[in-house]
């Protein structure tokens, strides 16, 4: 078990090889995961630092993640729409408002993936926004 003043209690899951927990995010709760071996002290420190920064600056990060995903995936969401009328209603702004963060996954090297619920934009697929502490936001894809 890892105890942290910002991240709370994180429990090591041997199967997943990661520290798992939940944390308050804006008006709800999200799952957090530090994908790092329990004996990798430097990796744990780096992953915690990245995640703590995101949590402490969650309003900025939430907006940036939504905006980035919308910028990369709105056109694809329009292609997935069931009708031209529905596609016309999907804008970058409406896309960003629809999605919601549910999981932050951080590695020992400082890279991360933020998984969002898609509010049926992609028929229940997850929207994954990936990046790193050094390079910022790098990609947005649908998964699952």
């Amino acid at each position: 078990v890892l105890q942290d003043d910002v991240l709370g209690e994180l429990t090591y899951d041997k199967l997943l090889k990661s520290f798992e927990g939940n944390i308050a995010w804006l008006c709800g709760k999200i799952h957090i995961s530090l994908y790092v071996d329990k004996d990798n002290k430097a990796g744990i420190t780096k992953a915690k630092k990245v995640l703590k920064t995101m949590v402490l600056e969650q309003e900025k990060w939430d907006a940036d993640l939504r905006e980035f995903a919308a910028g990369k995936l709105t056109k694809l969401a329009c292609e997935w729409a069931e009708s031209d009328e529905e596609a016309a209603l999907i804008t970058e702004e409406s896309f960003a408002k629809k999605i919601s963060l549910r999981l932050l996954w951080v590695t020992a090297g400082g890279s991360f993936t933020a998984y969002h619920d898609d509010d049926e934009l992609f028929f229940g697929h997850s929207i994954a926004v990936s990046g790193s502490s050094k390079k910022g936001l790098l990609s947005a894809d649908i998964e699952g």
Side-chain angles (χ1 to χ4, degrees):
V1 174
L2 278 180
Q3 192 67 41
D4 185 86
D5 58 332
V6 174
L7 304 177
E9 186 176 284
L10 303 174
T11 305
Y12 193 74
D13 184 316
K14 290 178 187 174
L15 236 50
L16 299 175
K17 295 185 179 174
S18 64
F19 289 93
E20 305 290 316
N22 294 297
I23 195 159
W25 187 268
L26 300 181
C27 297
K29 283 216 180 270
I30 63 165
H31 189 79
I32 54 176
S33 181
L34 298 179
Y35 186 69
V36 56
D37 186 271
K38 65 180 175 22
D39 298 321
N40 182 350
K41 302 293 185 215
I44 291 170
T45 300
K46 187 167 191 172
K48 278 176 47 177
K49 182 179 178 185
V50 170
L51 190 54
K52 284 171 83 163
T53 297
M54 294 176 88
V55 169
L56 292 171
E57 300 171 2
Q58 59 187 259
E59 287 180 12
K60 175 199 172 305
W61 275 100
D62 194 76
D64 289 351
L65 291 165
R66 287 170 183 267
E67 184 179 306
F68 188 85
K72 297 289 185 186
L73 299 173
T74 297
K75 183 179 176 189
L76 183 61
C78 291
E79 292 171 9
W80 279 56
E82 293 184 359
S83 68
D84 289 341
E85 293 82 22
E86 186 182 315
L89 297 175
I90 302 172
T91 63
E92 285 190 23
E93 186 177 303
S94 70
F95 184 109
K97 287 180 181 176
K98 282 180 162 272
I99 66 174
S100 58
L101 185 64
R102 65 177 170 84
L103 165 66
L104 276 174
W105 185 82
V106 183
T107 69
S111 62
F112 60 84
T113 302
Y115 293 93
H116 295 79
D117 286 328
D118 74 338
D119 194 27
E120 296 303 315
L121 286 166
F122 299 106
F123 303 99
H125 288 74
S126 185
I127 296 170
V129 178
S130 298
S132 75
S133 55
K134 288 185 179 177
K135 296 180 182 177
L137 301 177
L138 301 171
S139 67
D141 300 292
I142 58 172
E143 296 183 1

